[in-house]
Amino acid sequence: MRGMIFNIQRFCVQDGPGIRTTVFFKGCPLRCAWCHNPESHRQPAEILFSEEKCVLCGACAAMCPKGLHRMDGGGHAFDRAGCDGCGRCAGACPAGALELCGRWIGVDEALSLALRDADFYSASGGGLTLSGGEPMAQPEFALALAKSAHEAGVHVCLETCGFCAQEDLERMLPCVDLFLFDFKLADAEAHRRWTGADNARILKNLAFLGEQGGRIVLRCPIIPGVNLEKAHFEAVARAASSNRGVLQIDLEPYHPLGIDKAQRLGRRPGFCDTAFLDREALEPQAQRLRALTGLPVTIV
Ligand code: SF4
Ligand code: SF4
């Protein structure tokens, strides 16, 4: 059983309780305009290219079996169209200008990497988090990894956008200790506009998890110009209060770190606002949510 991932990060403290290892799955059914991990969108491995680091040595052109890199007129032309993500060009680049994003990993390897930090998990109440991208876009791998970790006594979090088959979530229930469930927009039309997908299935899955005894943290990206408004916080409060599984609300202030990555992938960023949203700016809304729901509300 293998899955396509784009990172495994140790010592994470914002992906669930305690100190955690986060496995980032590659591939996502949504296209949130503000996404800070655009390299997670497509499942196949791909190349990030930082033009400003390129020293025009031509090593990539020599290595690419498809002839996709060309040193042309004092510049570097990269035709991504036929790239199969073999990674040879990135391996040959002496300047760090090319980075391969995405690799296959087996359940055993992923688990053994996670278990290196088992002592930290025990000491801090941490564990393993499946994130992405969207882990449930690779449901068999997500299930196998969560199950193995759970059987090894590791606390498991699943971070999900919720746009997936209900049966797949149901299978995850016995081996996921905490669901980090995204709540982006309550309005269906706005959700379609900003994420490219309908939210009916997401809201249904959120309700289903709560009914089935899932323990849920509602993760709410707060994006100026999209959902930084009173009506949205009221919708968050309603969603949390009406779901007995919701234990906590996390507010995630917008940051623009996805813009550079989108450009390095040769794509136009969906959202070009370069200003970070201050954590402190959300404190009044956090307080209001605490008052409305009686739940802990953190700004992450
Ligand atoms: S990843 Fe492989 S196919 Fe793609 S540009 Fe690099 S060498 Fe060529
Ligand atoms: S190998 Fe790296 S530094 Fe050399 S031309 Fe290719 S991208 Fe530029």
Side-chain angles (χ1 to χ4, degrees), residues 210-230:
E211 285 156 15
Q212 297 298 312
R215 303 173 75 247
I216 302 165
V217 173
L218 217 50
R219 303 271 276 188
C220 308
I222 302 300
I223 318 296
V226 175
N227 62 10
L228 179 52
E229 54 195 32
K230 190 170 174 234

Side-chain angles (χ1 to χ4, degrees), residues 50-68:
S50 305
E51 198 172 357
E52 71 285 359
K53 289 187 185 167
C54 176
V55 296
L56 298 173
C57 69
C60 52
M63 284 304 289
C64 178
K66 301 191 166 191
L68 301 178

